Amino acid sequence: MVKIAPSLLSADFSCLGKEIEDVTEAGADLIHFDVMDGHFVPNLTFGPMVLSAIRKYSPLPFEAHLMITEPEKYWKNFADSGADIIGIHIECEINHRELIEEIKKYGKNACIVINPPTPVEKIYPLLDIVDEVLIMTVNPGFGGQKFIFDVVPKIEKIKETKEKKQLEFDIEVDGGINNQTVKIAREAGANIIVAGSYIFKSKNYREAIESLR
């Protein structure tokens, strides 16, 4: 079963609550909340106060994708503001296993995120403890980018390793997703699809979401 996660980075910020209500009603499975600090990636977006303010607009799980330099300092702010899933990047210079264990003990799901240039082998030591692996199919920082096809073998390798070791985590992709690239991502092994522009720039959210399944 493929799950669809609309990315709020492409939503209309002037009516964010309404946008969340609309994609929830249209059949979304979770809400993807992009957090950028202007340092880890060259852009600034939402903070925990925004997450707290919009949490009431949907009963769906919220995923806080922390594109920030020091996630160990701030993840609890997002967890306490209503995030159900906390995503941290392998590229951060932290003790990833320690932080993932802390997130899980706090009652939240943990997601490890990997950027296109990073060797996929870097996340292998964490596959036994994460709930999700998020493979970026664009370089993070901005919405509306084109899908990087060179990342597809990473998705396939993660799926192969998951099956070989009989692990239970979800495989998520984010970046450049539309009704064509989603087929490639799904075939490679992804079962959670993050889509921003394709959904929020469409005329019919339900049709856009269903076309990704």
Side-chain angles (χ1 to χ4, degrees), residues 123-151:
I123 65 172
Y124 283 3
L126 301 170
L127 296 181
D128 64 313
I129 59 169
V130 295
D131 300 291
E132 290 181 13
V133 170
L134 171 52
I135 301 168
M136 295 300 299
T137 42
V138 298
N139 290 302
F142 298 91
Q145 298 184 66
K146 291 185 178 180
F147 186 91
I148 299 175
F149 290 90
D150 289 347
V151 177

PDB file of all heavy atoms in Angstrom, residues 123-151:
ATOM      1  N   ILE A 123      23.965   4.915   5.644  1.00  0.00           N
ATOM      2  CA  ILE A 123      22.816   4.705   6.526  1.00  0.00           C
ATOM      3  C   ILE A 123      22.607   3.241   6.896  1.00  0.00           C
ATOM      4  O   ILE A 123      21.761   2.932   7.739  1.00  0.00           O
ATOM      5  CB  ILE A 123      21.517   5.287   5.932  1.00  0.00           C
ATOM      6  CG1 ILE A 123      21.111   4.562   4.651  1.00  0.00           C
ATOM      7  CG2 ILE A 123      21.655   6.785   5.696  1.00  0.00           C
ATOM      8  CD1 ILE A 123      19.745   4.969   4.137  1.00  0.00           C
ATOM      9  N   TYR A 124      23.367   2.339   6.312  1.00  0.00           N
ATOM     10  CA  TYR A 124      23.191   0.913   6.599  1.00  0.00           C
ATOM     11  C   TYR A 124      23.256   0.576   8.086  1.00  0.00           C
ATOM     12  O   TYR A 124      22.448  -0.224   8.572  1.00  0.00           O
ATOM     13  CB  TYR A 124      24.225   0.083   5.839  1.00  0.00           C
ATOM     14  CG  TYR A 124      23.928  -0.104   4.360  1.00  0.00           C
ATOM     15  CD1 TYR A 124      22.824   0.490   3.755  1.00  0.00           C
ATOM     16  CD2 TYR A 124      24.762  -0.877   3.562  1.00  0.00           C
ATOM     17  CE1 TYR A 124      22.565   0.329   2.412  1.00  0.00           C
ATOM     18  CE2 TYR A 124      24.508  -1.054   2.211  1.00  0.00           C
ATOM     19  CZ  TYR A 124      23.410  -0.452   1.633  1.00  0.00           C
ATOM     20  OH  TYR A 124      23.156  -0.617   0.303  1.00  0.00           O
ATOM     21  N   PRO A 125      24.171   1.180   8.865  1.00  0.00           N
ATOM     22  CA  PRO A 125      24.247   0.821  10.290  1.00  0.00           C
ATOM     23  C   PRO A 125      23.030   1.225  11.103  1.00  0.00           C
ATOM     24  O   PRO A 125      22.888   0.805  12.261  1.00  0.00           O
ATOM     25  CB  PRO A 125      25.492   1.586  10.774  1.00  0.00           C
ATOM     26  CG  PRO A 125      26.302   1.831   9.552  1.00  0.00           C
ATOM     27  CD  PRO A 125      25.297   2.055   8.470  1.00  0.00           C
ATOM     28  N   LEU A 126      22.146   2.027  10.515  1.00  0.00           N
ATOM     29  CA  LEU A 126      20.977   2.515  11.258  1.00  0.00           C
ATOM     30  C   LEU A 126      19.675   1.837  10.836  1.00  0.00           C
ATOM     31  O   LEU A 126      18.623   2.088  11.431  1.00  0.00           O
ATOM     32  CB  LEU A 126      20.838   4.035  11.056  1.00  0.00           C
ATOM     33  CG  LEU A 126      22.038   4.872  11.491  1.00  0.00           C
ATOM     34  CD1 LEU A 126      21.878   6.310  11.021  1.00  0.00           C
ATOM     35  CD2 LEU A 126      22.209   4.823  13.005  1.00  0.00           C
ATOM     36  N   LEU A 127      19.729   0.994   9.832  1.00  0.00           N
ATOM     37  CA  LEU A 127      18.507   0.417   9.282  1.00  0.00           C
ATOM     38  C   LEU A 127      17.769  -0.483  10.265  1.00  0.00           C
ATOM     39  O   LEU A 127      16.568  -0.694  10.123  1.00  0.00           O
ATOM     40  CB  LEU A 127      18.820  -0.361   7.999  1.00  0.00           C
ATOM     41  CG  LEU A 127      19.350   0.474   6.826  1.00  0.00           C
ATOM     42  CD1 LEU A 127      19.592  -0.415   5.611  1.00  0.00           C
ATOM     43  CD2 LEU A 127      18.381   1.607   6.467  1.00  0.00           C
ATOM     44  N   ASP A 128      18.477  -0.985  11.264  1.00  0.00           N
ATOM     45  CA  ASP A 128      17.835  -1.872  12.231  1.00  0.00           C
ATOM     46  C   ASP A 128      16.995  -1.135  13.256  1.00  0.00           C
ATOM     47  O   ASP A 128      16.198  -1.760  13.966  1.00  0.00           O
ATOM     48  CB  ASP A 128      18.885  -2.725  12.947  1.00  0.00           C
ATOM     49  CG  ASP A 128      19.846  -1.880  13.779  1.00  0.00           C
ATOM     50  OD1 ASP A 128      20.349  -0.867  13.249  1.00  0.00           O
ATOM     51  OD2 ASP A 128      20.088  -2.224  14.957  1.00  0.00           O
ATOM     52  N   ILE A 129      17.145   0.206  13.350  1.00  0.00           N
ATOM     53  CA  ILE A 129      16.416   0.926  14.410  1.00  0.00           C
ATOM     54  C   ILE A 129      15.471   2.001  13.886  1.00  0.00           C
ATOM     55  O   ILE A 129      14.671   2.536  14.649  1.00  0.00           O
ATOM     56  CB  ILE A 129      17.370   1.556  15.439  1.00  0.00           C
ATOM     57  CG1 ILE A 129      18.342   2.534  14.777  1.00  0.00           C
ATOM     58  CG2 ILE A 129      18.120   0.490  16.206  1.00  0.00           C
ATOM     59  CD1 ILE A 129      19.111   3.376  15.780  1.00  0.00           C
ATOM     60  N   VAL A 130      15.533   2.336  12.606  1.00  0.00           N
ATOM     61  CA  VAL A 130      14.678   3.411  12.099  1.00  0.00           C
ATOM     62  C   VAL A 130      13.299   2.878  11.696  1.00  0.00           C
ATOM     63  O   VAL A 130      13.135   1.699  11.391  1.00  0.00           O
ATOM     64  CB  VAL A 130      15.319   4.148  10.902  1.00  0.00           C
ATOM     65  CG1 VAL A 130      16.578   4.879  11.338  1.00  0.00           C
ATOM     66  CG2 VAL A 130      15.605   3.186   9.749  1.00  0.00           C
ATOM     67  N   ASP A 131      12.334   3.783  11.706  1.00  0.00           N
ATOM     68  CA  ASP A 131      10.987   3.453  11.241  1.00  0.00           C
ATOM     69  C   ASP A 131      10.816   3.794   9.764  1.00  0.00           C
ATOM     70  O   ASP A 131       9.979   3.202   9.081  1.00  0.00           O
ATOM     71  CB  ASP A 131       9.954   4.238  12.065  1.00  0.00           C
ATOM     72  CG  ASP A 131      10.038   3.916  13.549  1.00  0.00           C
ATOM     73  OD1 ASP A 131       9.688   2.786  13.920  1.00  0.00           O
ATOM     74  OD2 ASP A 131      10.489   4.780  14.323  1.00  0.00           O
ATOM     75  N   GLU A 132      11.606   4.761   9.302  1.00  0.00           N
ATOM     76  CA  GLU A 132      11.544   5.180   7.903  1.00  0.00           C
ATOM     77  C   GLU A 132      12.941   5.513   7.396  1.00  0.00           C
ATOM     78  O   GLU A 132      13.790   5.964   8.161  1.00  0.00           O
ATOM     79  CB  GLU A 132      10.684   6.448   7.724  1.00  0.00           C
ATOM     80  CG  GLU A 132       9.214   6.276   7.921  1.00  0.00           C
ATOM     81  CD  GLU A 132       8.470   7.591   7.681  1.00  0.00           C
ATOM     82  OE1 GLU A 132       9.067   8.544   7.131  1.00  0.00           O
ATOM     83  OE2 GLU A 132       7.298   7.667   8.062  1.00  0.00           O
ATOM     84  N   VAL A 133      13.126   5.306   6.096  1.00  0.00           N
ATOM     85  CA  VAL A 133      14.283   5.838   5.384  1.00  0.00           C
ATOM     86  C   VAL A 133      13.737   6.778   4.321  1.00  0.00           C
ATOM     87  O   VAL A 133      12.903   6.380   3.501  1.00  0.00           O
ATOM     88  CB  VAL A 133      15.103   4.719   4.713  1.00  0.00           C
ATOM     89  CG1 VAL A 133      16.162   5.322   3.788  1.00  0.00           C
ATOM     90  CG2 VAL A 133      15.760   3.833   5.754  1.00  0.00           C
ATOM     91  N   LEU A 134      14.169   8.033   4.366  1.00  0.00           N
ATOM     92  CA  LEU A 134      13.743   9.022   3.377  1.00  0.00           C
ATOM     93  C   LEU A 134      14.906   9.296   2.427  1.00  0.00           C
ATOM     94  O   LEU A 134      15.950   9.805   2.839  1.00  0.00           O
ATOM     95  CB  LEU A 134      13.297  10.316   4.057  1.00  0.00           C
ATOM     96  CG  LEU A 134      13.019  11.532   3.157  1.00  0.00           C
ATOM     97  CD1 LEU A 134      12.061  11.192   2.018  1.00  0.00           C
ATOM     98  CD2 LEU A 134      12.479  12.696   3.970  1.00  0.00           C
ATOM     99  N   ILE A 135      14.706   8.941   1.164  1.00  0.00           N
ATOM    100  CA  ILE A 135      15.725   9.139   0.147  1.00  0.00           C
ATOM    101  C   ILE A 135      15.353  10.373  -0.671  1.00  0.00           C
ATOM    102  O   ILE A 135      14.313  10.398  -1.331  1.00  0.00           O
ATOM    103  CB  ILE A 135      15.831   7.904  -0.754  1.00  0.00           C
ATOM    104  CG1 ILE A 135      16.180   6.668   0.099  1.00  0.00           C
ATOM    105  CG2 ILE A 135      16.880   8.107  -1.852  1.00  0.00           C
ATOM    106  CD1 ILE A 135      16.035   5.358  -0.619  1.00  0.00           C
ATOM    107  N   MET A 136      16.178  11.396  -0.586  1.00  0.00           N
ATOM    108  CA  MET A 136      15.917  12.628  -1.330  1.00  0.00           C
ATOM    109  C   MET A 136      16.225  12.414  -2.814  1.00  0.00           C
ATOM    110  O   MET A 136      17.317  11.975  -3.170  1.00  0.00           O
ATOM    111  CB  MET A 136      16.762  13.776  -0.780  1.00  0.00           C
ATOM    112  CG  MET A 136      16.438  14.177   0.651  1.00  0.00           C
ATOM    113  SD  MET A 136      14.729  14.725   0.876  1.00  0.00           S
ATOM    114  CE  MET A 136      14.670  16.161  -0.222  1.00  0.00           C
ATOM    115  N   THR A 137      15.251  12.734  -3.644  1.00  0.00           N
ATOM    116  CA  THR A 137      15.435  12.606  -5.091  1.00  0.00           C
ATOM    117  C   THR A 137      15.638  13.974  -5.745  1.00  0.00           C
ATOM    118  O   THR A 137      15.578  14.109  -6.970  1.00  0.00           O
ATOM    119  CB  THR A 137      14.246  11.857  -5.719  1.00  0.00           C
ATOM    120  OG1 THR A 137      13.010  12.318  -5.150  1.00  0.00           O
ATOM    121  CG2 THR A 137      14.353  10.364  -5.442  1.00  0.00           C
ATOM    122  N   VAL A 138      15.876  14.975  -4.903  1.00  0.00           N
ATOM    123  CA  VAL A 138      16.398  16.292  -5.311  1.00  0.00           C
ATOM    124  C   VAL A 138      17.343  16.735  -4.207  1.00  0.00           C
ATOM    125  O   VAL A 138      17.328  16.186  -3.104  1.00  0.00           O
ATOM    126  CB  VAL A 138      15.294  17.367  -5.498  1.00  0.00           C
ATOM    127  CG1 VAL A 138      14.308  16.984  -6.593  1.00  0.00           C
ATOM    128  CG2 VAL A 138      14.572  17.642  -4.181  1.00  0.00           C
ATOM    129  N   ASN A 139      18.157  17.721  -4.482  1.00  0.00           N
ATOM    130  CA  ASN A 139      18.966  18.317  -3.420  1.00  0.00           C
ATOM    131  C   ASN A 139      18.061  19.235  -2.600  1.00  0.00           C
ATOM    132  O   ASN A 139      17.406  20.117  -3.158  1.00  0.00           O
ATOM    133  CB  ASN A 139      20.136  19.090  -4.018  1.00  0.00           C
ATOM    134  CG  ASN A 139      21.165  18.165  -4.630  1.00  0.00           C
ATOM    135  OD1 ASN A 139      21.708  17.293  -3.960  1.00  0.00           O
ATOM    136  ND2 ASN A 139      21.433  18.334  -5.912  1.00  0.00           N
ATOM    137  N   PRO A 140      17.975  19.037  -1.297  1.00  0.00           N
ATOM    138  CA  PRO A 140      16.972  19.734  -0.489  1.00  0.00           C
ATOM    139  C   PRO A 140      17.214  21.230  -0.384  1.00  0.00           C
ATOM    140  O   PRO A 140      18.331  21.711  -0.496  1.00  0.00           O
ATOM    141  CB  PRO A 140      17.104  19.063   0.880  1.00  0.00           C
ATOM    142  CG  PRO A 140      18.498  18.569   0.923  1.00  0.00           C
ATOM    143  CD  PRO A 140      18.823  18.153  -0.484  1.00  0.00           C
ATOM    144  N   GLY A 141      16.112  21.947  -0.167  1.00  0.00           N
ATOM    145  CA  GLY A 141      16.195  23.388   0.025  1.00  0.00           C
ATOM    146  C   GLY A 141      15.073  24.150  -0.638  1.00  0.00           C
ATOM    147  O   GLY A 141      14.600  25.155  -0.116  1.00  0.00           O
ATOM    148  N   PHE A 142      14.609  23.636  -1.795  1.00  0.00           N
ATOM    149  CA  PHE A 142      13.575  24.345  -2.545  1.00  0.00           C
ATOM    150  C   PHE A 142      12.617  23.354  -3.192  1.00  0.00           C
ATOM    151  O   PHE A 142      13.025  22.254  -3.582  1.00  0.00           O
ATOM    152  CB  PHE A 142      14.198  25.235  -3.628  1.00  0.00           C
ATOM    153  CG  PHE A 142      15.091  26.314  -3.084  1.00  0.00           C
ATOM    154  CD1 PHE A 142      16.448  26.096  -2.915  1.00  0.00           C
ATOM    155  CD2 PHE A 142      14.569  27.542  -2.703  1.00  0.00           C
ATOM    156  CE1 PHE A 142      17.284  27.079  -2.399  1.00  0.00           C
ATOM    157  CE2 PHE A 142      15.383  28.535  -2.182  1.00  0.00           C
ATOM    158  CZ  PHE A 142      16.744  28.298  -2.029  1.00  0.00           C
ATOM    159  N   GLY A 143      11.360  23.757  -3.316  1.00  0.00           N
ATOM    160  CA  GLY A 143      10.379  22.936  -3.993  1.00  0.00           C
ATOM    161  C   GLY A 143      10.448  23.122  -5.495  1.00  0.00           C
ATOM    162  O   GLY A 143      11.100  24.036  -6.001  1.00  0.00           O
ATOM    163  N   GLY A 144       9.764  22.241  -6.208  1.00  0.00           N
ATOM    164  CA  GLY A 144       9.642  22.395  -7.658  1.00  0.00           C
ATOM    165  C   GLY A 144      10.841  21.952  -8.473  1.00  0.00           C
ATOM    166  O   GLY A 144      10.935  22.260  -9.668  1.00  0.00           O
ATOM    167  N   GLN A 145      11.779  21.213  -7.871  1.00  0.00           N
ATOM    168  CA  GLN A 145      12.957  20.763  -8.603  1.00  0.00           C
ATOM    169  C   GLN A 145      12.667  19.484  -9.398  1.00  0.00           C
ATOM    170  O   GLN A 145      11.686  18.790  -9.157  1.00  0.00           O
ATOM    171  CB  GLN A 145      14.106  20.499  -7.634  1.00  0.00           C
ATOM    172  CG  GLN A 145      14.566  21.706  -6.848  1.00  0.00           C
ATOM    173  CD  GLN A 145      15.777  21.375  -5.985  1.00  0.00           C
ATOM    174  OE1 GLN A 145      16.849  21.077  -6.482  1.00  0.00           O
ATOM    175  NE2 GLN A 145      15.582  21.405  -4.672  1.00  0.00           N
ATOM    176  N   LYS A 146      13.569  19.164 -10.324  1.00  0.00           N
ATOM    177  CA  LYS A 146      13.414  17.979 -11.152  1.00  0.00           C
ATOM    178  C   LYS A 146      13.998  16.747 -10.466  1.00  0.00           C
ATOM    179  O   LYS A 146      15.026  16.810  -9.805  1.00  0.00           O
ATOM    180  CB  LYS A 146      14.078  18.189 -12.516  1.00  0.00           C
ATOM    181  CG  LYS A 146      13.359  19.213 -13.384  1.00  0.00           C
ATOM    182  CD  LYS A 146      13.987  19.299 -14.769  1.00  0.00           C
ATOM    183  CE  LYS A 146      13.227  20.296 -15.645  1.00  0.00           C
ATOM    184  NZ  LYS A 146      13.816  20.398 -17.000  1.00  0.00           N
ATOM    185  N   PHE A 147      13.331  15.649 -10.655  1.00  0.00           N
ATOM    186  CA  PHE A 147      13.712  14.344 -10.118  1.00  0.00           C
ATOM    187  C   PHE A 147      15.104  13.955 -10.606  1.00  0.00           C
ATOM    188  O   PHE A 147      15.412  14.048 -11.802  1.00  0.00           O
ATOM    189  CB  PHE A 147      12.679  13.316 -10.590  1.00  0.00           C
ATOM    190  CG  PHE A 147      12.811  11.939 -10.020  1.00  0.00           C
ATOM    191  CD1 PHE A 147      12.150  11.582  -8.861  1.00  0.00           C
ATOM    192  CD2 PHE A 147      13.570  10.968 -10.678  1.00  0.00           C
ATOM    193  CE1 PHE A 147      12.246  10.290  -8.361  1.00  0.00           C
ATOM    194  CE2 PHE A 147      13.674   9.679 -10.179  1.00  0.00           C
ATOM    195  CZ  PHE A 147      13.008   9.341  -9.020  1.00  0.00           C
ATOM    196  N   ILE A 148      15.977  13.527  -9.675  1.00  0.00           N
ATOM    197  CA  ILE A 148      17.327  13.095 -10.021  1.00  0.00           C
ATOM    198  C   ILE A 148      17.306  11.572 -10.223  1.00  0.00           C
ATOM    199  O   ILE A 148      17.229  10.802  -9.258  1.00  0.00           O
ATOM    200  CB  ILE A 148      18.346  13.486  -8.929  1.00  0.00           C
ATOM    201  CG1 ILE A 148      18.376  15.010  -8.763  1.00  0.00           C
ATOM    202  CG2 ILE A 148      19.737  12.948  -9.272  1.00  0.00           C
ATOM    203  CD1 ILE A 148      19.265  15.483  -7.618  1.00  0.00           C
ATOM    204  N   PHE A 149      17.385  11.136 -11.459  1.00  0.00           N
ATOM    205  CA  PHE A 149      17.240   9.716 -11.776  1.00  0.00           C
ATOM    206  C   PHE A 149      18.411   8.878 -11.255  1.00  0.00           C
ATOM    207  O   PHE A 149      18.259   7.668 -11.033  1.00  0.00           O
ATOM    208  CB  PHE A 149      17.085   9.533 -13.293  1.00  0.00           C
ATOM    209  CG  PHE A 149      15.766  10.030 -13.807  1.00  0.00           C
ATOM    210  CD1 PHE A 149      15.616  11.345 -14.222  1.00  0.00           C
ATOM    211  CD2 PHE A 149      14.654   9.198 -13.849  1.00  0.00           C
ATOM    212  CE1 PHE A 149      14.393  11.817 -14.685  1.00  0.00           C
ATOM    213  CE2 PHE A 149      13.432   9.647 -14.305  1.00  0.00           C
ATOM    214  CZ  PHE A 149      13.298  10.965 -14.718  1.00  0.00           C
ATOM    215  N   ASP A 150      19.561   9.499 -11.047  1.00  0.00           N
ATOM    216  CA  ASP A 150      20.723   8.765 -10.543  1.00  0.00           C
ATOM    217  C   ASP A 150      20.517   8.235  -9.127  1.00  0.00           C
ATOM    218  O   ASP A 150      21.303   7.399  -8.656  1.00  0.00           O
ATOM    219  CB  ASP A 150      21.966   9.666 -10.557  1.00  0.00           C
ATOM    220  CG  ASP A 150      22.475   9.939 -11.966  1.00  0.00           C
ATOM    221  OD1 ASP A 150      22.024   9.235 -12.900  1.00  0.00           O
ATOM    222  OD2 ASP A 150      23.301  10.853 -12.137  1.00  0.00           O
ATOM    223  N   VAL A 151      19.476   8.720  -8.455  1.00  0.00           N
ATOM    224  CA  VAL A 151      19.212   8.281  -7.084  1.00  0.00           C
ATOM    225  C   VAL A 151      18.454   6.953  -7.044  1.00  0.00           C
ATOM    226  O   VAL A 151      18.452   6.256  -6.028  1.00  0.00           O
ATOM    227  CB  VAL A 151      18.428   9.374  -6.313  1.00  0.00           C
ATOM    228  CG1 VAL A 151      18.070   8.917  -4.906  1.00  0.00           C
ATOM    229  CG2 VAL A 151      19.244  10.658  -6.237  1.00  0.00           C
TER     230      VAL A 151
END
